[in-house]
Amino acid sequence: MFKLRKLPFDPKANALISEETCIYHHGKHHQTYINNLNNLIKDTEFEGANLYDILLNSSGGLFNNAARVYNHDFYWDCISKKSQMSGELKARLEKDIPNFKEEFLKAATTLFGSGWAWLVYNPKEDRLQIVQTSNPQTPVTDGLVPLLVADVWEHAYYVDHKNARPAYLEKFFENINWGFVSAAYEWALKEGLNSVKFYISELHGGAKSCCGCGCS
């Protein structure tokens, strides 16, 4: 059975989102995805499976809830604290996406409806990319390794910013946990998609973890 992860920060003191948002976003939405996932895997071939394997091999409602669990897990770590980017990641961003802030915020702002804006590492092409995913979709199913994500479902920002998505995103960018993102990049280079499996295992059990990304 999967359990809701604890927030990696004090909800009363997060620089991006309020305690009220945490109550609804984490305590209700994220918890609902966990509950649905547990109900849907019961008496199926996925009962007892690693969340990573469910992500890659399921479909329909089961995939939708598994992906929402993972996407939210990752989002919390991206906003857990404000920290500095590593020199290695900074150099790579300057090479691959010179106008990163502008392009990332544009992708997050212009995504129609609900979804996510991601910075990912593409192992096949050895480059960083910005991608959008709608609703529960996740880059992992396309062979891409997530490094950073902005949640642009309305429930991520409506309590604090009403319908002003751009204001939320500016504040998001000011408070990214670049230390987490940098570690995710380091392990993406070393392990590719396996780094995603290690990350998930730190939170939900499964294969022995070695990602060292500070996600737990």
Side-chain angles (χ1 to χ4, degrees), residues 99-149:
N99 299 315
F100 173 69
K101 179 179 179 180
E102 178 183 347
E103 293 188 33
F104 185 83
L105 291 181
K106 180 180 179 181
T109 303
T110 60
L111 190 150
F112 182 77
S114 300
W116 314 79
W118 306 80
L119 171 67
V120 301
Y121 174 67
N122 185 328
K124 290 183 179 179
E125 299 180 10
D126 185 28
R127 68 186 179 101
L128 300 182
Q129 298 174 240
I130 295 170
V131 298
Q132 299 169 317
T133 61
S134 296
N135 299 316
Q137 298 301 315
T138 181
V140 177
T141 56
D142 292 323
L144 304 173
V145 183
L147 306 181
L148 170 69
V149 66

Side-chain angles (χ1 to χ4, degrees), residues 16 109 157 161 163-174:
L16 174 63
T109 303
Y157 58 87
H161 296 280
N163 64 334
R165 184 190 288 188
Y168 155 72
L169 290 169
E170 281 288 346
K171 195 171 182 181
F172 168 89
F173 204 90
E174 292 171 4

